[in-house]
Amino acid sequence: MRFAPSPEQREFASSLADLLADADTPSVIRAWTTGDCAPGRKLWSRLAEQGVLALGLPVEHGGFGATPVDLVLAFEQLGRAGAPGPYVESVAVLPAILSGTSEAGRLESIGTGETVATLAMPPEVPFAVDAAVADLVYLVDGPTLSTARVTDTATSVDQARRLAGVEAADVIAAVDSAAAFDLGALATAAQILGAGAVLLERSTAYAKQRMQFGKAIGSFQAVKHLLADAAVGLDLARP
C-alpha cells in the first residue's frame, strides 16, 4: 500500500482545509457546545457535498472506495478545525461494520449527509458520541451488532463532545468488528494529529508575540525546547 499522499490527495486535503476555514468552525463548535446543532448539521451537509462523508463507503453504496491514506488526510483536517460531530463513527467505522448486514441500506444516506450515525464499542469505546444528535445509534458488544437506546449521559473534557451510555435494543447481526475498530483508531489518531499541529502553530505564534522581561517568550530556551519537543512528537506521529 502507498502511504505517501499523491498530488490529487494533497489537493483534496487543501480544498477540505479551505472549506473548513470558510465554515467558521469556532462558531460551529460554540453552538454545538450549547446544544445548538443547526450550524453543525449545516457543516455536516457541506462536507457531504465535498465527498468527505462517503470516503469510507463501499462503491456499491455510493462511496469512493477510499484508502486509509484518504481517511487520514481528511481526518487530519477535521482535527485541525475541531469539527464537532461523530465523524469517526459515521465515516470510518460504521461503513465497515454495516456492510453485509440488513442495515447496509442506511449507508447511502450517511454518505449523502442526510443521516448522522454513531455507536459505542465497549469496553474500548464505552460511550456513543453525540447520540442525542444522531439519527442512528448502534452498539457493537463483542460480535453482536444492535441498534441502541440511550441510558445515561456523561461529561467529556471536550465540551463539544456529548457522551451517552447506551444499551442494546434490537439485535441486527453477528459482525467481525476488528477491521472497523482499527479504522476508527486510525481516524481518531489523524484527528489528534491535526489538532496537535494547529495547537503548535498557534502556540508558536503566541510565543513570538507575548512579551516578558522585554523579550518575546519564544526567545527563551525553556519555551523553545517545549515547542521543539511538540514538533518532534508530531513529526514522528504523522508517518
Side-chain angles (χ1 to χ4, degrees), residues 193-214:
L193 176 63
V198 77
L199 286 171
L200 177 60
E201 291 167 9
R202 294 179 182 179
S203 298
T204 301
Y206 178 76
K208 293 177 180 178
Q209 298 170 1
R210 176 75 162 88
M211 304 298 291
Q212 191 72 26
F213 304 114

Side-chain angles (χ1 to χ4, degrees), residues 26-82:
S27 65
V28 174
I29 296 167
R30 286 192 291 270
W32 195 271
T33 300
T34 62
D36 177 9
C37 300
R41 290 295 295 250
K42 182 178 180 180
L43 176 59
W44 188 274
S45 297
R46 289 188 65 186
L47 290 169
E49 294 170 1
Q50 185 85 353
V52 174
L53 302 188
L55 281 177
L57 298 186
V59 175
E60 61 268 26
H61 292 292
F64 301 110
T67 68
V69 176
D70 296 316
L71 286 176
V72 165
L73 293 172
F75 276 96
E76 185 175 357
Q77 295 304 324
L78 291 171
R80 286 183 65 91

Side-chain angles (χ1 to χ4, degrees), residues 75-194:
F75 276 96
E76 185 175 357
Q77 295 304 324
L78 291 171
R80 286 183 65 91
Y87 287 98
V88 170
E89 292 77 6
S90 286
V91 179
V93 180
L94 281 169
I97 288 179
L98 299 185
S99 296
T101 73
S102 59
E103 292 289 288
R106 307 272 196 179
L107 290 175
E108 188 170 343
S109 66
I110 293 175
T112 60
E114 299 172 43
T115 300
V116 177
T118 189
L119 84 162
M121 298 178 70
E124 291 87 355
V125 187
F127 299 104
V129 175
D130 296 314
V133 180
D135 305 298
L136 299 172
V137 183
Y138 295 98
L139 171 66
V140 177
D141 190 2
T144 305
L145 169 67
S146 307
T147 57
R149 50 178 168 262
V150 174
T151 57
D152 55 18
T153 58
T155 57
S156 170
V157 292
D158 180 355
Q159 296 181 23
R161 290 169 60 85
R162 298 175 180 272
L163 307 180
V166 298
E167 64 181 12
D170 298 319
V171 174
I172 298 169
V175 294
D176 181 357
S177 60
F181 181 87
D182 287 345
L183 283 174
L186 180 67
T188 300
Q191 275 188 320
I192 295 171
L193 176 63

